[in-house]
Amino acid sequence: MAVLVKDVMLKDIVTISDEATIGDVVEIFAKKKIGCLPMVDENGLLTAFLSDGDIVDYVVRNVRRRNNQYNHVRAWYQVDCFSSYLKKCVDDKAYAAATHHVITVESTETVKKVSQLFQKKHLKHIPVLDEGKLVGMVTRNDIINGLFKDYLENPDAVCIEE
């Protein structure tokens, strides 16, 4: 019997509202020691996915944009505005930094099939849905553990199909 995603996924996950700010997200990342968060709307439906990499990309992009936008003013007054631009990013909506076309898997999917998705898309985490509702998260480590469990149950089976 194949190991399913629901057998290895993380069920107790932290989510954030799609109204959260960059500052809120960074605080949650630090307190919970996590690197990604699914964003949900008021009905609990997945609207986006936010990783620590998304935050870094967003902040760098926006600080550079603001810096270039006001470059002539900075040169005139000889002011370093980096910290003020960074403070403005903290109040921006995290939804603007998030991935909106989220790759998800169903909880009934096999670990073997999801391992191929991880490899093909170079992902670290994938939200897990059950009938369209967010029920968990699966990581690369969860998949490795699932493949190992699958192998132990049937050592003669093909581990991953081409």
Side-chain angles (χ1 to χ4, degrees):
M1 174 125 178
V3 176
L4 303 178
V5 169
K6 67 181 176 182
D7 300 327
V8 297
M9 71 180 186
L10 304 168
K11 295 176 178 111
D12 185 27
I13 57 169
V14 178
T15 62
I16 57 167
S17 161
D18 51 9
E19 294 297 314
T21 65
I22 298 282
D24 297 334
V25 171
V26 170
E27 192 174 323
I28 292 170
F29 282 170
K31 282 183 179 176
K32 301 286 186 178
K33 297 182 178 161
I34 56 177
C36 65
L37 288 167
M39 298 183 89
V40 294
D41 63 12
E42 62 277 352
N43 298 321
L45 297 176
L46 183 68
T47 58
F49 190 79
L50 189 64
S51 72
D52 49 7
D54 293 331
I55 296 287
V56 170
D57 289 344
Y58 179 83
V59 169
V60 168
R61 207 171 346 106
N62 281 283
V63 167
R64 279 187 185 152
R65 180 182 54 79
R66 287 177 176 137
N67 196 37
N68 290 337
Q69 188 176 10
Y70 297 108
N71 201 22
H72 63 286
V73 175
R74 282 187 333 97
W76 180 259
Y77 291 106
Q78 297 180 347
V79 176
D80 182 14
C81 300
F82 180 80
S83 61
S84 67
Y85 297 153
L86 192 57
K87 287 177 186 172
K88 288 180 182 179
C89 282
V90 169
D91 295 327
D92 289 350
K93 294 290 184 195
Y95 190 79
T99 300
H100 302 283
H101 300 288
V102 183
I103 295 172
T104 62
V105 295
E106 290 289 321
S107 64
T108 55
E109 196 64 66
T110 66
V111 167
K112 285 182 184 179
K113 188 167 184 178
V114 175
S115 69
Q116 294 168 343
L117 185 60
F118 269 96
Q119 183 180 12
K120 181 179 179 181
K121 299 290 185 178
H122 305 286
L123 301 170
K124 295 180 184 178
H125 307 86
I126 300 178
V128 179
L129 305 179
D130 195 6
E131 297 178 12
K133 184 151 174 95
L134 182 67
V135 294
M137 180 97 63
V138 66
T139 68
R140 288 187 293 191
N141 284 344
D142 299 329
I143 294 300
I144 290 167
N145 291 335
L147 288 171
F148 187 68
K149 184 177 176 183
D150 207 18
Y151 169 77
L152 289 177
E153 289 176 5
N154 189 1
D156 296 327
V158 175
C159 185
I160 300 176
E161 286 86 30
E162 298 280 335

